[in-house]
Amino acid sequence: MRRRIALLITLILALSLSSCAAPSYSATFYDVFDTVTTFTAYTDKPAKFDEWRDMLTDELTAYHRLFDIYNTYEDYPQNLCAVNAAGGVPVVVDERITALLDFGRDMYAFTGGKVDITMGAMLTLWHAERENAAENPAALPDADVLSASLAQIGWKGISLDSENDTVQLKNGTSLDVGAIGKGWALEQTAQKLETAGCIGIINAGGNVRTLGEKPGSDYWTVRITHTLESSSPSQDIRIGAHTAVATSGDYQRYYTVEGERYAHLIDPATGYPARYMRAVSVVCDDAALADALSTALFLMPIDEGLAFVDSMDGVEALFLDNEENWRYSAGFSAYLP
Amino acid sequence: MERSPLKKADILLIAGILLAAVVLFCTQWLLAPRGETVVVSVNGEEIARYPLHTAVSVTLEGVGGQNRLVIENGTAHIEEADCPDKLCAQHTAISHVGDSIVCLPHRLTVTVIGSGEAPDAVVS
């Protein structure tokens, strides 16, 4: 008996010394949502990882093509680009587009119009100037054209028949789902991977979603780093299973006109970039909601945003104000190391 | 006379297992990276790595273009690139484990790795 115990203790010691943790595998790809996506998963079987990775790339690629407003694809002829190009004619769309537009309508109502996917025409004006600035002297969109485009935004411009997956745009309205598309795609993909038993973490260009508990740890660590002109303020946070993080910042996509920074996050109330803060990150259990709320919070004063966040259950936010100080929502300390 | 609970063979076996564990532990410890290293990947495949604490200036071949990586004073940055947006060259120098610079047009990523605890995800 004593002999067996001695052998058992020895084996346990030996195993702990050689530290056998479940191995992790990672993959990086560049083809979806104009960003770099990193996927890490824990498994003993490399073939399982390959299966999950293929599932992830297939899903994200499908959503990318469905939600793309700049290109058409042979395998997804009725994508959002086709909807925008239909010239007011009703278009039958993939049910995944219907689901996204339903979510967009809910978020429009919930955020008082801050999250507005009908801003396509206005965002195109900014997009064109941003692209143009790479080669030519930077300029702002024409003020008259910009204010005319303001009149074309809002849900009055969409007629959505969810039952029959049919969408019709009215009065020159065009869609841009940049504020919610990536988060929505990430959430749907993450749920599919969770059902397949995947344990891991997805980072789709700053939109993070965890799948299960991290093996050998009580939490996943996410480092939020803002790459500003002269400094890179950084904050580590600890999150659990099935948790999402999304960030909106003025340094992400911007261009400069006469020394002034113009970010890609346009306030639907004014037609110009919001300047209330440098960045905001949202933590909650849904990657689509996190994405939508980070956009909404960026477009309102920080104090208003803090009150909005504190009125919701299960949502926390971390702000970086214009003086580069961190501001935390009431329950955010639960995520701090 | 009281019998010994363990035979000589048992003691040898136990010693053997422990020795094997110590050897395994030492090899892992010796092979683990010391200090930080800059890893360059193109299309998700590693193409090169450089120590972060040795100054170097090197031209990297991305997809459809080049980026010049400069490592100096324990930090790494992209000095220049022929990509359309030049976002990689505007990125501040990186030095912490887990930090990275991405050149999306060239599908190129420069990441700092090392023995320190790296976060599971870095968002910026």
Side-chain angles (χ1 to χ4, degrees), chain A residues 41-55:
Chain A
Y42 291 76
T43 175
D44 293 327
K45 306 183 188 77
K48 200 74 201 165
F49 176 75
D50 292 348
E51 189 185 305
W52 290 333
R53 182 203 56 212
D54 291 349
M55 190 184 276

Side-chain angles (χ1 to χ4, degrees), chain A residues 41 56 60 68 97 136 163 196 199 204 230 232 237 251 280 287 307 333:
Chain A
L56 177 81
L60 289 179
D68 194 336
I97 288 182
N136 305 300
E163 294 286 303
I199 306 288
S230 57
S232 301
I237 64 168
Y251 54 85
V280 58
S333 56

Side-chain angles (χ1 to χ4, degrees), chain A residues 203 206-208 220-228 231-239 244-249 251-252 278-284 294 316-320 326-328 332 335-337, chain B residues 96-99 119-124:
Chain A
N203 182 357
N207 289 58
V208 172
W220 302 89
T221 304
V222 176
R223 178 168 301 158
I224 297 168
T225 302
H226 302 303
T227 310
L228 309 181
S231 65
S232 301
S234 166
Q235 172 74 64
D236 282 6
I237 64 168
R238 294 172 170 181
I239 58 175
V245 183
T247 300
S248 291
Y251 54 85
Q252 289 168 333
R278 298 307 311 265
V280 58
S281 300
V282 173
V283 184
C284 66
S294 77
E316 299 299 338
L318 167 64
F319 299 81
L320 186 71
W326 298 107
R327 302 274 305 271
Y328 306 88
F332 200 89
Y335 299 118
L336 296 174
Chain B
H96 297 110
V97 172
D99 285 353
D120 298 298
V122 178
V123 305
S124 56

Side-chain angles (χ1 to χ4, degrees), chain A residues 111-259:
Chain A
T111 63
K114 298 284 183 200
V115 173
D116 187 348
I117 61 171
T118 69
M119 291 161 69
M122 192 164 75
L123 294 178
T124 301
L125 299 174
W126 284 104
H127 183 84
E129 292 299 343
R130 225 168 34 242
E131 299 264 292
N132 179 56
E135 305 280 329
N136 305 300
L140 294 176
D142 182 85
D144 292 336
V145 179
L146 197 61
S147 80
S149 75
L150 262 180
Q152 289 173 326
I153 68 173
W155 272 84
K156 60 184 189 298
I158 304 188
S159 169
L160 176 64
D161 179 355
S162 305
E163 294 286 303
N164 299 303
D165 295 314
T166 305
V167 56
Q168 180 179 13
L169 301 180
K170 294 176 280 192
N171 311 322
T173 296
S174 78
L175 303 178
D176 183 323
V177 298
I180 57 170
K182 188 167 62 164
W184 179 264
L186 176 60
E187 181 59 30
Q188 310 315 309
T189 304
Q191 287 179 12
K192 203 159 183 172
L193 282 167
E194 281 173 331
T195 307
C198 177
I199 306 288
I201 186 165
I202 309 167
N203 182 357
N207 289 58
V208 172
R209 173 70 150 72
T210 62
L211 313 161
E213 307 274 355
K214 183 181 178 182
S217 176
D218 294 333
Y219 48 80
W220 302 89
T221 304
V222 176
R223 178 168 301 158
I224 297 168
T225 302
H226 302 303
T227 310
L228 309 181
E229 305 76 38
S230 57
S231 65
S232 301
S234 166
Q235 172 74 64
D236 282 6
I237 64 168
R238 294 172 170 181
I239 58 175
H242 197 119
T243 306
V245 183
T247 300
S248 291
D250 71 356
Y251 54 85
Q252 289 168 333
R253 277 177 199 172
Y254 70 93
Y255 75 122
T256 309
V257 184
E258 291 169 5

